[in-house]
Amino acid sequence: MKPTAAGLLLAGLAVATASPTTTCSTNSSTPSAPKGKWFDRFVVIVLENTNRGTTFGDPYFLNLTNMGMYLDNYHGTTHPSQPNYITMVTNSIAAGVFNDDDHNTTEYSIIDLMEPKGVTWKAYMEGYSPLANGECNPVSEIKETLYVRKHNPFMSFDNIRNNTRRCQNIVNAEQHFAKDVALGAGAPNYMYYSPNLDNDAHNTNISFAAKDIQYLVDTMLNNKEFMKGTMILITFDENMIYLNTNYGQPNAIYSLLLGNDTIKCYSCVDQQYYNHFTQLVTLENNWNLGNIPNGGGWDTFWRPFGQLRSKTDDICAYAPCSEYPDGKSPPPADADWNDQNY
Ligand SMILES: *[C@@H]1O[C@H](CO)[C@@H](O)[C@H](O)[C@H]1NC(C)=O
Ligand SMILES: *[C@@H]1O[C@H](CO)[C@@H](O)[C@H](O)[C@H]1NC(C)=O
Ligand SMILES: *[C@@H]1O[C@H](CO)[C@@H](O)[C@H](O)[C@H]1NC(C)=O
Ligand SMILES: *[C@@H]1O[C@H](CO)[C@@H](O)[C@H](O)[C@H]1NC(C)=O
Ligand SMILES: *[C@@H]1O[C@H](CO)[C@@H](O)[C@H](O)[C@H]1NC(C)=O
Ligand SMILES: *[C@@H]1O[C@H](CO)[C@@H](O)[C@H](O)[C@H]1NC(C)=O
């Protein structure tokens, strides 16, 4: 499927209103973040290379579905890792980045739309160390700390990597994440989190990764001020489609939304089709950011998450029947995921 000609035209028009040349100003009077349609803060945590069924096999990840909205039809966009991360933040197929090598791209990203509107952001990278004065460290990997650049999509964009002020928003997760959550309402509006190669299950397994994720989730959920208007997405870059035994299968991954102020129901399942572009489109719609200039126009093609809570909706254990594409309410969640009709 490709974006329509109309979609591309819209993307072109957006250049006039969201000119990226105005985004590099260090003017301290940037507007305060506009109120979001569904949320005032979006946190995404990205894990690695695990089939959906394997993730459900872990008691922690299974349990977590009782607290939020499970996205039953969410898919990685591609293989290998890096382009999946990049499609979360820009509107072309990975900004021309199709492998795990270091790339520099002149394309634009969601950051170019957020900054002029006063939407604040930070990228938390486990094991990462910036250069002096917070300059971007473009290194491919830091072996001792298990940081890899291919899981840090912001580093590929020239207008981020070459900009000290923007680089200062890409931080070492261990030093900054809990501290920023403790700011409560003052935490950034967009928080992008990549665990290291052990904690994201890349070099380990899903049970190992569960420990880090539980720490991160608990840190957030235990802070009521932080959780006000906050939506958390826990997702994976891709499943194990690259193995011969899985090759050709859909890139289905475990993805879960948490945050009762922002989703229509908890302990429930949303059956609509989503992929990593959905994140981008949801962010654009939430803050009325327009579309990313140039690129592939994919942010005019996909739709945002479909079961998010507007200010007038009530939270309930299950979405209203009418809101499910199949007209059915999902059965109650219990310890047996097979009951959940997917
Ligand atoms: C910052 O922006 C405001 C309003 O947009 C403007 O009045 C002011 O002169 C700018 N300051 C600097 C230092 O650019
Ligand atoms: C599942 O969640 C409940 C309630 O939040 C908690 O008491 C229990 O320890 C959790 N179990 C696992 C395996 O995480
Ligand atoms: C959402 O609300 C339900 C009902 O109070 C609760 O069981 C669940 O843990 C909440 N989820 C989160 C992420 O706080
Ligand atoms: C990307 O740009 C950096 C400087 O920001 C440079 O050191 C590096 O060699 C470039 N990499 C590629 C693959 O062009
Ligand atoms: C970014 O920096 C690299 C080298 O440091 C340079 O080759 C490239 O032209 C710069 N790009 C931009 C957009 O400034
Ligand atoms: C996951 O890895 C740990 C070692 O880190 C091991 O003890 C455990 O058995 C593994 N679990 C699974 C399900 O493979």
Side-chain angles (χ1 to χ4, degrees):
M1 288 178 285
K2 289 196 71 74
T4 60
L8 288 166
L9 193 64
L10 274 175
L13 285 174
V15 179
T17 52
S19 169
T21 55
T22 62
T23 62
C24 293
S25 149
T26 50
N27 195 330
S28 57
S29 64
T30 40
S32 56
K35 275 294 188 193
K37 194 190 290 184
W38 302 294
F39 50 84
D40 297 319
R41 180 174 300 105
F42 181 73
V43 183
V44 56
I45 302 174
V46 189
L47 293 134
E48 278 277 315
N49 303 359
T50 309
N51 286 347
R52 181 165 67 181
T54 309
T55 308
F56 280 118
D58 177 80
Y60 176 71
F61 284 99
L62 177 61
N63 204 24
L64 212 48
T65 63
N66 295 319
M67 301 177 72
M69 180 189 290
Y70 181 67
L71 306 173
D72 189 40
N73 212 353
Y74 188 112
H75 297 77
T77 29
T78 184
H79 172 74
S81 287
Q82 180 161 256
N84 283 290
Y85 288 79
I86 289 181
T87 53
M88 297 179 199
V89 302
T90 194
N91 70 339
S92 52
I93 305 285
V97 175
F98 295 108
N99 59 29
D100 281 340
D101 298 344
D102 293 351
H103 285 272
N104 296 342
T105 178
T106 56
E107 291 196 17
Y108 301 112
S109 72
I110 187 72
I111 302 307
D112 297 306
L113 301 184
M114 285 180 165
E115 287 189 347
K117 294 270 184 152
V119 177
T120 56
W121 66 282
K122 243 186 217 183
Y124 302 85
M125 299 285 142
E126 288 187 5
Y128 173 70
S129 29
L131 303 178
N133 192 32
E135 296 280 358
C136 280
N137 184 350
V139 67
S140 311
E141 66 176 324
I142 306 175
K143 284 214 166 67
E144 313 77 61
T145 59
L146 304 170
Y147 163 83
V148 283
R149 172 172 162 166
K150 64 183 176 177
H151 297 168
N152 178 357
F154 305 98
M155 202 56 81
S156 294
F157 294 86
D158 284 354
N159 73 13
I160 298 178
R161 194 186 60 262
N162 283 5
N163 179 323
T164 305
R165 183 184 53 78
R166 287 179 158 191
C167 288
Q168 287 167 347
N169 286 349
I170 306 175
V171 298
N172 174 273
E174 289 90 332
Q175 283 169 18
H176 291 271
F177 184 72
K179 220 193 273 182
D180 284 1
V181 171
L183 296 172
N189 301 119
Y190 177 47
M191 301 170 79
Y192 191 107
Y193 196 103
S194 298
N196 69 36
L197 287 176
D198 275 354
N199 288 334
D200 69 3
H202 183 282
N203 290 357
T204 55
N205 61 35
I206 194 64
S207 319
F208 187 95
K211 285 178 278 182
D212 195 43
I213 302 308
Q214 180 158 18
Y215 160 73
L216 298 172
V217 167
D218 288 352
T219 300
M220 291 188 279
L221 298 191
N222 288 336
N223 188 321
K224 298 270 180 297
E225 281 306 305
F226 176 85
M227 284 307 297
K228 276 190 189 148
T230 292
M231 185 162 89
I232 302 168
L233 173 66
I234 297 168
T235 190
F236 288 75
D237 68 329
E238 57 172 331
N239 66 19
M240 298 176 91
I241 46 170
Y242 50 87
L243 296 184
N244 284 338
T245 45
N246 292 323
Y247 193 74
Q249 286 184 17
N251 202 350
I253 45 182
Y254 174 106
S255 290
L256 181 73
L257 291 174
L258 294 170
N260 285 340
D261 288 352
T262 63
I263 53 179
K264 280 194 177 161
C265 56
Y266 59 88
S267 191
C268 63
V269 184
D270 179 353
Q271 315 270 8
Q272 291 172 71
Y273 181 92
Y274 302 122
N275 62 29
H276 293 319
F277 284 118
T278 311
Q279 287 181 51
L280 174 70
V281 174
T282 302
L283 293 166
E284 289 178 348
N285 274 260
N286 184 64
W287 281 300
N288 206 8
L289 300 177
N291 294 116
I292 293 177
N294 309 326
W298 287 84
D299 52 349
T300 62
F301 180 73
W302 296 107
R303 286 171 304 173
F305 291 122
Q307 300 289 336
L308 304 187
R309 198 179 161 195
S310 64
K311 308 286 182 246
T312 53
D313 292 329
D314 290 328
I315 182 85
C316 57
Y318 309 107
C321 298
S322 59
E323 308 237 349
Y324 273 84
D326 62 359
K328 281 188 288 192
S329 221
D334 57 26
D336 182 3
W337 186 255
N338 290 322
D339 289 352
Q340 298 220 6
N341 190 27
Y342 70 87

